[in-house]
Amino acid sequence: MSSRRLEQHTRLVAGEHSDVALTVPAFQEAIRYHARYSLGKRWGSCSGHELFTAVAFAVRHALIDRMLDTEDRYQQADPKRVHYLSMEYLLGRSLKNNLSNLGILDLCRDALHEMGVDLEEVLEGECEAALGNGGLGRLAACFLDSLATMSMPGYGYGINYEYGLFKQDIDNGYQKEKPDNWLTHGSPWQIERPDEACIVPLYGRIEHGIDRTGQYNPMWMDWKIIIGVPHDMPIVGFGGQTVNVLRLYSARSSEEFDMQIFNEGDYLKAVEQQIASETISKVLYPSDLVEAGRELRLIQEYLLVACTLRDIVRRYEKSHATFDQFASKVAIHLNDTHPALTVAELMRILVDEHAQPWEKAWATTQATLSYTNHTLMPEALEKWSASLFEYVLPRHLQIIYEINHRFLAQVASVWPGEHERLRRMSLIEEGEQKAVRMVNLALVGSHSTNGVSALHTQMVKTSLALDFYQLWPDKFNTKTNGVTPRRWLLQANPLLADLITNTIGNGWITDLGKLRALEPYAQDPDFQQAFMKVKRSSKALLTRIIHDRCRVAVSPDALFDVHVKRIHEYKRQLLNVMQIIHEYQCITQDGKAPPVPRVYIFAGKAAPGYWAAKQLIKLITSVGGVINTDPRVQGLIKVVFIPDYRVSMAEQIVPAADVSEHISMAGTEASGTGSMKFAMNGALTIGTHDGANIEIMEEVGRENVFLFGLQVEEIRQMRERGSYHPRTYYHCNPDIRRLMDTFVSGLFCPDEPGRFRWIYEAVLDRGDPYFHLADLESYIETQERVAQAFKDPAVWACKAILNIARIGKFSSDRAIAEYAREIWNIKPIL
């Protein structure tokens, strides 16, 4: 947004909220106050993190005033509210986001400049909230932004992980994980609420009793207690009118320690219970490779669910005497399968604690809950052993068995005698070790199940949940994901945002569809030139980052080909590397130079226990090490892996990309919001017919994306027929044979012969489950088309501008509007 429009926006906010520090001197006074009285430091002696903290506390005043005003508005209206449960929230840094959405970013910059400090230095002092792993958590963060911007009454609920996603170092090409204790110095954005702590029962036993009417009355006895302490993070919408809350729970021991043990001199044993309890919220996704890790993950999920429902019920009961209106006042949304325990916990609260008849409680539960499925990957479709479930949550297992009994009776009445269907739909997986199917629990216990792209929803209906779709066809729907333009264009790419605003106005910030007004400028030479100038500035910035982080010199005039996302075999970073090796061999062995120079940019983290993914990082860095030092390809291709990919790094990479890679095997990526962020910033998509790639193509035009490869139905047929034979491609195509042989030749691992033989064997001898070779020829041809298009700057600029102009569908505002209207039944409270 231009400085003039920002000033106008600041005055608008001031007219509505007199507490905003509208003058530079007043803002400076607030900053100095917090440096002295909140931190005990003189302004001139503050460290980088202390500079950030002092500024953040000054900004927090405005946030808290608006947060309280927002809650007052909600209390007065008594609207239906949505409560969004997610195990992840990948927020990134909050200071710039809060300044921008409050309309005081330029004011803060000017105030700090007069104090001898650069705002960018202050922004760098903020630790990123390590509360998520990837797309799931970033989507949740975008949704919170949209809810607040659209003044929708909603809360986010999650866990206040002390150690979230690890910090990634690259040592000799290998990923090394370091702890990311983002709360070492606390967070100025968090407001602890110990007075609203929740009691969470665990373990114990069931006592089978009879009530006064002679009915079975099970009693959950002899609990072990932990405490969930909420920490609120204000989430401000653009314009500053609405500030919603993300409530995060930390686990605490129910008592400091056993004084008798302490008095006997065994201090370590005395605090053992406290340490064990607080471990629950220490780490995002503890390893489930051992029983203790699985138990901890189950407890984490229950901590989130139990605390959230206790909080929801507490709020509801403040203004409602009975639960008759619960489903009309409360919407609870499960962001993926992790919070599926909500089904059993809500039933337990209604039946056990509030004496609701089962049928009435079940009707309320189904009407209240909705569920988003985010993946078809088997490892993400949670199952818990019944024995572990019974040990940790004995009453919940009882409830799940009862839900299952009644549900299967319903299925049997629709399809009598179909025992195989009953087996598939059961909440309990029978076998040597019984397991609770959490996906089935979420499907049965909610009134709505949605996929996150049109293709994904179709696959949920026809593959993952065909039986459930046949039983309840009206329950299934599509809500294609979206991203917030405030974070991913206005903040991440201010030069482009200013260019757009100066051309068509600033209405696009809250209505991304208004970017359509850019279409007439796509072929305007002056606008094309201005756009390409902005793009080159972003590439020049990333060039410096690459040199600082990777010690590789690259040219901002080369084509920047970006592949950044979680490292996973299904995302097929390996396919990209195969194409790079092919291009390298064409140059060095065939004398065939590429049409344009290209820089291949990778980033992403592999799960610590995921050996193959970590080996892919080693492969990328090894291939880069050879190519980047080979004089025969200098100035033609470079390969870099930028370590420690995170939100703030994405904000620097996304604006600089010319093309972005989204090349998962068709049918494996549910949506993929990365492609939306890149297209919003004028990068063309190279992708398969998967996830949101298809819908992006439909919006921006087939000629403005580069899709390739097999489609879902073709892969399904090849699998069913057993007609995919990787060795056939190897023997019939000399280029494929030549590049595959490098994995056993030692070309990219001269010091470790055999290091990459596993890739050769996995692809050629173990079935290649992700169809790399089936898509490789099409991928290579597509990359050649990309290079030819990039040769003509006017043609390329036109395609890039049209991507921006037609990306409006992929705003998280549109997604939230659909959820609000079609699933949650909530409305803005202004």
Side-chain angles (χ1 to χ4, degrees):
M1 191 184 295
S2 68
S3 297
R4 179 174 60 83
R5 287 189 172 89
L6 270 176
E7 289 168 5
Q8 292 173 347
H9 179 65
T10 300
R11 288 196 293 273
L12 175 64
V13 173
E16 297 171 352
H17 298 283
S18 59
D19 57 297
V20 174
L22 288 177
T23 66
V24 166
F27 198 74
Q28 290 171 333
E29 182 180 352
I31 294 171
R32 287 196 174 95
Y33 174 90
H34 284 290
R36 175 179 286 268
Y37 295 109
S38 298
L39 303 177
K41 301 291 285 286
R42 296 185 186 277
W43 173 249
S45 63
C46 287
S47 66
H49 181 77
E50 289 166 341
L51 291 174
F52 152 73
T53 304
V55 174
F57 273 129
V59 174
R60 196 172 95 155
H61 283 188
L63 292 177
I64 290 177
D65 285 338
R66 286 162 176 71
M67 181 182 72
L68 296 175
D69 289 348
T70 299
E71 183 58 29
D72 288 345
R73 204 162 72 237
Y74 291 168
Q75 288 285 350
Q76 185 174 359
D78 190 26
K80 186 175 185 181
R81 310 188 193 199
V82 66
H83 306 80
Y84 196 82
L85 277 69
S86 179
M87 289 293 284
E88 298 185 36
Y89 290 93
L90 201 57
L91 299 171
R93 290 170 174 160
S94 294
L95 177 56
K96 187 176 182 181
N97 183 76
N98 291 336
L99 290 169
S100 179
N101 281 0
L102 287 169
I104 57 173
L105 181 61
D106 282 359
L107 184 145
C108 181
R109 181 179 283 109
D110 293 344
L112 289 171
H113 179 73
E114 291 186 9
M115 299 170 77
V117 175
D118 181 20
L119 174 60
E120 296 305 316
E121 177 188 350
V122 173
L123 296 176
E124 286 296 315
E126 180 174 7
C127 295
E128 293 187 47
L131 299 169
N133 180 42
L136 180 75
R138 187 52 234 172
L139 178 78
C142 285
F143 278 7
L144 293 183
D145 176 271
S146 288
L147 281 166
T149 295
M150 300 168 75
S151 293
M152 295 286 189
Y155 298 88
Y157 286 91
I159 294 179
N160 197 34
Y161 305 106
E162 185 175 336
Y163 295 90
L165 190 60
F166 59 86
K167 290 183 178 179
Q168 180 194 56
D169 278 348
I170 302 298
D171 183 4
N172 190 31
Y174 292 96
Q175 171 179 292
K176 301 295 183 184
E177 301 93 17
K178 289 186 174 181
D180 185 7
N181 188 352
W182 73 284
L183 287 173
T184 298
H185 304 289
S187 170
W189 308 121
Q190 291 197 349
I191 306 163
E192 186 172 1
R193 307 285 195 188
D195 56 314
E196 296 182 10
C198 300
I199 294 175
V200 180
L202 292 168
Y203 307 108
R205 60 185 177 84
I206 301 298
E207 187 171 290
H208 306 281
I210 302 295
D211 65 16
R212 287 176 296 179
T213 65
Q215 299 296 312
Y216 174 57
N217 183 32
M219 299 292 290
W220 187 7
M221 308 289 287
D222 299 334
W223 312 320
K224 171 186 171 183
I225 298 296
I226 58 171
I227 306 297
V229 179
H231 296 73
D232 289 348
M233 293 186 72
I235 306 295
V236 58
F238 186 77
Q241 180 175 359
T242 296
V243 178
N244 288 333
V245 171
L246 168 60
R247 175 156 283 195
L248 303 166
Y249 285 93
S250 296
R252 296 288 182 264
S253 174
S254 60
E255 53 188 9
E256 286 302 311
F257 45 71
D258 187 317
M259 282 303 300
Q260 181 178 348
I261 298 176
F262 179 77
N263 290 334
E264 290 172 357
D266 193 342
Y267 175 78
L268 292 179
K269 187 174 180 181
V271 299
E272 185 179 280
Q273 173 64 46
Q274 179 183 358
I275 294 170
S277 296
E278 297 184 1
T279 297
I280 294 167
S281 58
K282 285 281 186 186
V283 182
L284 171 69
Y285 297 149
S287 172
D288 59 1
L289 298 178
V290 296
E291 186 66 20
R294 289 190 288 274
E295 181 179 335
L296 182 54
R297 287 185 70 161
L298 179 59
I299 293 173
Q300 272 190 346
E301 293 179 4
Y302 184 58
L303 172 73
L304 169 61
V305 165
C307 291
T308 298
L309 285 176
R310 187 66 62 192
D311 192 57
I312 292 170
V313 169
R314 176 185 59 80
R315 292 175 189 270
Y316 175 83
E317 288 185 316
K318 281 184 178 180
S319 52
H320 301 89
T322 72
F323 280 84
D324 293 344
Q325 289 184 281
F326 191 78
S328 63
K329 292 295 183 179
V330 173
I332 299 175
H333 195 82
L334 313 181
N335 188 34
D336 214 2
T337 313
H338 311 111
L341 269 168
T342 304
V343 178
E345 175 67 0
L346 183 52
M347 285 296 292
R348 186 191 70 81
I349 291 172
L350 294 175
V351 172
D352 290 4
E353 297 184 9
H354 295 277
Q356 291 261 317
W358 181 277
E359 292 78 7
K360 186 176 182 180
W362 183 242
T364 298
T365 296
Q366 283 188 311
T368 301
L369 302 185
S370 51
Y371 164 55
T372 295
N373 175 272
H374 279 279
T375 183
L376 303 174
M377 302 301 289
E379 65 267 25
L381 304 176
E382 287 189 318
K383 299 175 185 176
W384 297 108
S385 73
S387 59
L388 174 63
F389 221 104
E390 186 173 31
Y391 174 61
V392 177
L393 299 168
R395 177 58 181 143
H396 295 75
L397 184 62
Q398 267 196 326
I399 291 170
I400 289 170
Y401 279 144
E402 182 63 20
I403 293 171
N404 195 44
H405 171 74
R406 294 171 182 246
F407 169 62
L408 291 183
Q410 179 184 359
V411 173
S413 69
V414 177
W415 292 291
E418 293 196 25
H419 301 295
E420 183 59 23
R421 189 188 294 265
L422 289 173
R423 185 193 64 78
R424 292 193 304 264
M425 298 181 75
S426 175
L427 307 189
I428 307 300
E429 182 177 85
E430 302 293 341
E432 185 175 336
Q433 185 181 56
K434 285 186 177 182
V436 180
R437 295 166 166 158
M438 303 306 286
V439 171
N440 291 19
L441 180 62
L443 289 168
V444 171
S446 58
H447 71 272
S448 170
T449 294
N450 71 277
V452 289
S453 69
L455 175 62
H456 174 234
T457 301
Q458 185 61 25
M459 295 191 68
V460 168
K461 292 177 180 179
T462 59
S463 177
L464 176 68
L466 174 60
D467 296 307
F468 294 91
Y469 174 64
Q470 290 174 340
L471 180 62
W472 295 308
D474 293 339
K475 180 182 287 194
F476 292 81
N477 59 93
T478 298
K479 298 290 174 283
T480 298
N481 284 341
V483 301
T484 169
R486 272 78 60 183
R487 170 77 70 163
W488 294 108
L489 182 48
L490 180 63
Q491 294 173 49
N493 202 341
L495 293 178
L496 180 57
D498 275 351
L499 175 62
I500 293 171
T501 295
N502 292 333
T503 305
I504 64 170
N506 65 4
W508 61 270
I509 298 172
T510 53
D511 182 358
L512 201 62
K514 290 185 176 179
L515 288 178
R516 283 277 179 177
L518 285 176
E519 282 202 38
Y521 296 92
Q523 297 188 43
D524 182 309
D526 291 337
F527 190 83
Q528 288 181 350
Q529 186 176 5
F531 167 76
M532 295 300 279
K533 182 179 179 181
V534 166
K535 178 65 72 173
R536 195 184 188 283
S537 295
S538 298
K539 293 171 70 174
L541 175 60
L542 184 58
T543 295
R544 294 191 291 271
I545 293 170
I546 289 171
H547 186 267
D548 291 343
R549 301 293 304 276
C550 308
R551 296 303 176 198
V552 178
V554 302
S555 169
D557 296 315
L559 190 161
F560 277 20
D561 185 327
V562 176
H563 196 168
V564 294
K565 53 186 72 224
R566 186 162 48 95
I567 308 298
H568 197 292
E569 289 168 283
Y570 89 81
K571 293 181 182 290
R572 297 205 299 191
Q573 285 89 357
L574 176 58
L575 181 64
N576 195 346
V577 174
M578 288 178 172
Q579 187 277 143
I580 294 170
I581 294 172
H582 167 74
E583 186 175 16
Y584 174 64
Q585 291 176 322
C586 286
I587 299 170
T588 59
Q589 298 184 30
D590 302 338
K592 179 184 175 183
V596 295
R598 192 182 307 222
V599 179
Y600 294 98
I601 299 167
F602 292 86
K605 297 179 180 179
Y610 192 171
W611 181 87
K614 296 175 81 169
Q615 289 298 311
L616 288 174
I617 294 175
K618 174 61 175 174
L619 173 66
I620 294 165
T621 56
S622 297
V623 170
V626 170
I627 289 177
N628 297 342
T629 56
D630 190 332
R632 295 173 295 176
V633 298
Q634 289 305 299
L636 297 177
I637 54 174
K638 290 285 181 72
V639 180
V640 296
F641 187 96
I642 303 176
D644 204 29
Y645 185 57
R646 57 199 187 279
V647 174
S648 61
M649 182 60 68
E651 290 172 322
Q652 295 170 313
I653 294 174
V654 169
D658 292 308
V659 296
S660 65
E661 303 268 357
H662 308 279
I663 58 176
S664 54
M665 184 184 73
T668 55
E669 187 73 83
S671 178
T673 54
S675 54
M676 303 170 191
K677 297 163 191 167
F678 282 101
M680 191 180 291
N681 284 270
L684 276 59
T685 300
I686 301 176
T688 49
H689 297 267
D690 199 23
N693 293 347
I694 300 169
E695 290 168 73
I696 289 177
M697 178 190 70
E698 293 170 350
E699 293 293 314
V700 307
R702 184 180 296 271
E703 68 281 5
N704 298 314
V705 297
F706 298 93
L707 298 195
F708 71 93
L710 297 171
Q711 300 193 29
V712 171
E713 183 60 23
E714 293 173 303
I715 290 174
R716 186 189 66 79
Q717 291 180 5
M718 290 177 72
R719 278 200 170 128
E720 288 182 355
R721 298 169 183 168
S723 58
Y724 174 47
H725 304 291
R727 282 278 178 186
T728 301
Y729 293 86
Y730 176 83
H731 289 300
C732 293
N733 188 317
D735 289 336
I736 289 179
R737 183 164 63 252
R738 182 171 66 176
L739 77 86
M740 286 300 300
D741 286 347
T742 64
F743 296 126
V744 293
S745 70
L747 173 63
F748 298 112
C749 52
D751 298 331
E752 298 179 87
R755 161 58 60 189
F756 302 121
R757 175 178 286 275
W758 72 271
I759 297 173
Y760 180 92
E761 294 173 349
V763 171
L764 295 179
D765 300 328
R766 293 201 288 273
D768 186 19
Y770 297 110
F771 283 57
H772 291 84
L773 298 192
D775 276 349
L776 181 55
E777 292 179 68
S778 175
Y779 183 45
I780 290 171
E781 185 274 331
T782 298
Q783 289 285 24
E784 291 172 353
R785 289 194 292 118
V786 169
Q788 291 297 332
F790 192 75
K791 285 175 63 177
D792 188 330
V795 169
W796 189 268
C798 179
K799 291 177 180 292
I801 294 165
L802 287 174
N803 267 264
I804 299 170
R806 297 171 177 174
I807 202 65
K809 172 181 176 178
F810 302 100
S811 168
S812 51
D813 298 347
R814 185 271 315 154
I816 286 298
E818 291 180 2
Y819 277 99
R821 181 177 62 251
E822 300 169 17
I823 298 179
W824 302 332
N825 192 27
I826 63 170
K827 296 178 180 179
I829 304 299
L830 301 172

